[in-house]
Amino acid sequence: MFIKNLFVTLCFFTRLTEIAAHLLSVRFFLPQLFRLRYANMGGIDPDLFTRQLEGCRSFKESAWCGYWNAIAQDYESKAEELIKQKGNTALDEVRSLIRKATTYYAVSAFPGTTPLRMKAYDNAREFSTRHIRLFDDRVEKLTLKLGDETVEGFYRFPAGDAKVPMVIVTNGLEGTMQEILFPLMKYRDANIGLFVMEMPGTYAYKNPMSADSEAIYSGVISHFARHPRVDEKLIAMVGVSFGAYWSARMAAADPRLSCAVACGAPLHYAFGAAGFLGKPAIIVSVLLKVAGAKFLHSLDKKLSDLSFEKNDLYRRISCPLLVINGDNDTLLGTKDSEVLAMKVPKGFLKLYENDDHCAMGHYNEWLDLTFEWLHMQFNKRDS
């Protein structure tokens, strides 16, 4: 692994990643979790997606987007054809096709730093939004204007008019809201409200991620705290990867959160210069874009400014916090997760054995654990 990481880093600094990808495929340069991440999102056979990654030989946007868009468009055409038939007997198949088309558009959009990738992002958003009610007719789109930013997401409340707990879910670097929304559909019968949003600094946002992004999450919390369907004393936040940084940070910054879940959070140790070892050019470009940095030294400074250790954020978390990760996080390491759970008075740690960043190999298991734990916390506060 060290030799591969060294080779990937050398390719980055010598600008030979594209040439090497042509020879070795893009799969060689992408983290292992990239495969599981999108396989989980689309309900795609991981082996199939692996073969597709091996068939892609360029990160350049024309080749990258052309390759993934072709697959997405095939699934989109099949979905639209079945929808035209207006037969409910094929509903499960239609949903599967919609998930797959959206997922491949999301892969094409990764990491959202060029025009064709942003066009793929728009395709994923438009196509999934148009058909989201085929999954659940209670899902609604929400657009919030917060300062100079526009936050878009999807929310859902159970039937009736009673107040219910609210869970705000946010994902990480260049993660689309559909990546979280689709897997959460299986919890549609839970007696809670859900809101899924993208992390500030990614695709549709104007400004890079910074400490000021707190205000965006606080604005979202304020909106739902005032909502007639929300029990304002039972608001929680769930974050994945860099989104987990924000779920933990908002647990420290906003006392209105009754509990929080952080899956795979980078907090301090993942921000060191050594964290760039083995990161391919395309992943580094994501970090640079989201943080609003032009060079590695400025990126290091911007990430350091977010450090939990530097800002003494651990001690400010008084609510229960569930910390989740794989026990072999090859992308960011597990130390941040372990330290977070140890330093927070009501911290609970779950590391999945022989799993990687965000425990993607146990995706369904940790989602089930998350909702079981949230229900337990809500019941404690409500009693």
Side-chain angles (χ1 to χ4, degrees), residues 327-366:
D327 68 352
N328 184 32
D329 186 337
T330 60
L331 185 67
L332 299 176
T334 58
K335 190 169 184 179
D336 275 324
S337 295
E338 293 167 344
V339 171
L340 177 63
M342 179 181 66
K343 289 193 173 185
V344 172
K346 297 179 182 177
F348 304 89
L349 178 64
K350 174 61 178 178
L351 296 180
Y352 285 90
E353 188 176 359
N354 299 321
D355 209 343
D356 209 324
H357 180 59
C358 290
M360 283 295 171
H362 293 81
Y363 195 70
N364 290 323
E365 290 93 330
W366 75 251

Side-chain angles (χ1 to χ4, degrees), residues 21 40 76 137 179 183 216 238-239 299 302:
N40 286 326
E76 179 180 357
D137 61 7
E179 184 179 350
I216 295 175
V238 175
L299 174 61
K302 287 180 180 292

Side-chain angles (χ1 to χ4, degrees), residues 302-318:
K302 287 180 180 292
L303 292 178
S304 176
D305 288 343
L306 295 173
S307 165
F308 261 53
E309 191 76 35
K310 181 177 179 179
N311 293 286
D312 195 24
L313 293 173
Y314 299 106
R315 68 177 182 85
R316 292 167 53 189
I317 301 177
S318 58

Side-chain angles (χ1 to χ4, degrees), residues 146-163:
L146 299 172
D148 64 343
E149 291 284 16
T150 299
V151 177
E152 292 188 348
F154 291 98
Y155 71 94
R156 182 197 187 280
F157 288 108
D161 56 8
K163 286 182 177 288

Side-chain angles (χ1 to χ4, degrees), residues 174-363:
E174 302 309 326
T176 62
M177 66 185 82
Q178 294 85 2
E179 184 179 350
I180 298 292
L181 184 63
F182 285 142
L184 292 183
M185 290 295 179
K186 71 174 183 175
Y187 306 105
R188 63 173 63 91
D189 293 330
N191 191 37
I192 57 174
L194 281 173
F195 176 64
V196 178
M197 62 178 285
E198 292 168 6
M199 186 183 79
T202 54
Y203 293 108
Y205 290 94
K206 293 180 180 179
N207 302 309
M209 177 190 68
S210 70
D212 293 338
S213 301
E214 268 190 24
I216 295 175
Y217 286 112
S218 288
V220 172
I221 294 170
S222 293
H223 171 83
F224 285 107
R226 296 190 298 264
H227 198 285
R229 290 298 313 277
V230 174
D231 184 337
E232 67 277 11
K233 295 180 180 179
L234 299 176
I235 300 177
M237 192 164 168
V238 175
V240 183
S241 195
F242 223 119
Y245 170 89
W246 287 105
S247 64
R249 179 158 183 148
M250 295 313 296
D254 199 317
R256 292 174 295 180
L257 289 184
S258 64
C259 59
V261 179
C263 180
L267 303 168
H268 173 71
Y269 298 98
F271 295 156
F276 297 123
L277 178 65
K279 299 292 189 297
I282 195 167
I283 299 296
V284 176
S285 74
V286 176
L287 288 165
L288 290 168
K289 173 184 174 288
V290 170
K294 292 185 178 180
F295 307 103
L296 284 181
H297 70 272
S298 57
L299 174 61
D300 186 53
K301 172 66 166 58
K302 287 180 180 292
L303 292 178
S304 176
D305 288 343
L306 295 173
S307 165
F308 261 53
E309 191 76 35
K310 181 177 179 179
N311 293 286
D312 195 24
L313 293 173
Y314 299 106
R315 68 177 182 85
R316 292 167 53 189
I317 301 177
S318 58
C319 68
L321 178 69
L322 175 61
V323 182
I324 299 171
N325 208 346
D327 68 352
N328 184 32
D329 186 337
T330 60
L331 185 67
L332 299 176
T334 58
K335 190 169 184 179
D336 275 324
S337 295
E338 293 167 344
V339 171
L340 177 63
M342 179 181 66
K343 289 193 173 185
V344 172
K346 297 179 182 177
F348 304 89
L349 178 64
K350 174 61 178 178
L351 296 180
Y352 285 90
E353 188 176 359
N354 299 321
D355 209 343
D356 209 324
H357 180 59
C358 290
M360 283 295 171
H362 293 81
Y363 195 70

Side-chain angles (χ1 to χ4, degrees), residues 3 18 51 72 74 86 138 146 260 268 295 342 360 376:
I3 294 175
E18 182 64 20
R51 293 193 296 272
D74 181 51
K86 298 181 180 179
R138 301 193 63 81
L146 299 172
H268 173 71
F295 307 103
M342 179 181 66
M360 283 295 171
M376 181 175 67

